Amino acid sequence: MSMHSMLSVSGLHGYYGKSHILQGIDFEVGDGELVALLGRNGVGKTTTMRAISGVLHNVEGDVRLDGLPILGKPSHLVARMGLSLVPEDRGIFATLSVEENLKLAERRGAKRSIEEIWSMFPSLANRKNTTGGKLSGGEQQMLSIGRALMTDPRLLLLDEPTEGLAPIIVDGLIELLVELKKSGLSILLVEQSLDVCTKVADRFLILDGGKIVWQGDRAALAASDDVKARHLTLEHA
């Protein structure tokens, strides 16, 4: 790949107990690139995200963030190096206010201020004293992304961000992802909706059988009906 690589993954294996989920994964995410990781349920998309971000410990291979090895390092160290994961369960603190959730994520010397998050998510600004557990699904997702951005990441991992959200909220998220990409942030996105992916992603990876079985840009994916039929669920079609 000619562009500078923000994330480089090679020979990544991941295990849950005795189950060998990831069986030698190779891919890259370039600087300022948004890459979508596609595949049926249960093929290891979330496992890939967990392995890269240091949440899954039973791993082997080589994963580098901007050239520095991160595989096997604890997740708080990986985060400090500039990688932030927005997990599927959103991972916010239900009993803390929106503002407290954001302040907890704040990193000394980080470029992004809490004011910037308020302007990015006006609906959160209006609810800064509301506890996380009382927010709607869409607001919780925004808070989860806001928390990740507070750590000033260079690479953002988003796991199923639009799941269960109303279409109008999804449209807002799509706009946000486009803006974040324009700002130079590298993003790896796991997303069931092919429609969302084709609106935001530069490149696509398809995971099946614990390996990346296909990769290409939007035009290549659009032209690959056989690939989609073989490796993606009907909801992608």
Side-chain angles (χ1 to χ4, degrees):
M1 193 183 293
S2 55
M3 63 160 59
H4 175 75
S5 171
M6 179 52 71
L7 176 72
S8 163
V9 175
S10 64
L12 176 61
H13 291 258
Y15 306 83
Y16 282 124
K18 289 194 167 65
S19 301
H20 189 182
I21 311 284
L22 307 178
Q23 303 188 10
I25 288 184
D26 306 280
F27 69 90
E28 295 192 8
V29 178
D31 227 346
E33 189 182 34
L34 196 156
V35 175
L37 181 60
L38 307 170
R40 291 197 179 94
N41 279 333
V43 295
K45 302 187 299 289
T46 294
T47 308
T48 302
M49 301 290 240
R50 290 169 61 98
I52 293 168
S53 57
V55 181
L56 181 72
H57 302 305
N58 201 347
V59 288
E60 54 196 52
D62 186 44
V63 176
R64 288 173 185 266
L65 182 67
D66 206 6
L68 297 171
I70 59 170
L71 193 68
K73 287 189 162 52
S75 51
H76 68 271
L77 266 184
V78 175
R80 208 172 295 157
M81 290 170 76
L83 182 150
S84 200
L85 168 69
V86 177
E88 215 175 350
D89 63 7
R90 305 192 173 135
I92 59 172
F93 297 100
T95 56
L96 297 182
S97 74
V98 167
E99 188 162 21
E100 287 165 336
N101 263 283
L102 290 171
K103 287 212 159 124
L104 265 183
E106 209 166 6
R107 266 236 319 275
R108 233 174 315 179
K111 291 193 293 286
R112 263 204 182 86
S113 66
I114 204 159
E115 276 66 39
E116 225 175 307
I117 304 296
W118 299 140
S119 64
M120 226 181 258
F121 302 107
S123 63
L124 286 184
N126 297 332
R127 309 205 62 182
K128 59 174 75 164
N129 299 318
T130 306
T131 56
K134 292 205 169 77
L135 300 176
S136 70
E139 289 163 340
Q140 287 187 352
Q141 185 56 276
M142 287 170 200
L143 178 55
S144 189
I145 294 171
R147 273 174 53 89
L149 293 174
M150 285 295 287
T151 67
D152 220 7
R154 291 177 298 160
L155 173 69
L156 186 63
L157 268 50
L158 287 169
D159 196 359
E160 303 279 8
T162 71
E163 197 173 19
L165 301 185
I168 187 161
I169 307 286
V170 173
D171 290 343
L173 266 179
I174 289 170
E175 275 173 40
L176 174 73
L177 290 179
V178 170
E179 282 306 305
L180 289 174
K181 192 172 75 166
K182 275 190 197 143
S183 78
L185 187 62
S186 303
I187 300 171
L188 179 63
L189 170 70
V190 163
E191 174 56 63
Q192 280 297 337
S193 162
L194 194 55
D195 184 46
V196 170
C197 290
T198 48
K199 282 180 177 144
V200 297
D202 301 302
R203 275 189 315 119
F204 304 84
L205 312 166
I206 297 179
L207 187 60
D208 209 349
K211 290 189 166 76
I212 302 287
V213 292
W214 185 92
Q215 50 182 306
D217 62 11
R218 203 169 302 173
L221 185 69
S224 304
D225 287 339
D226 55 325
V227 170
K228 287 185 282 203
R230 201 169 340 136
H231 300 293
L232 303 179
T233 36
L234 291 173
E235 62 196 297
H236 283 283

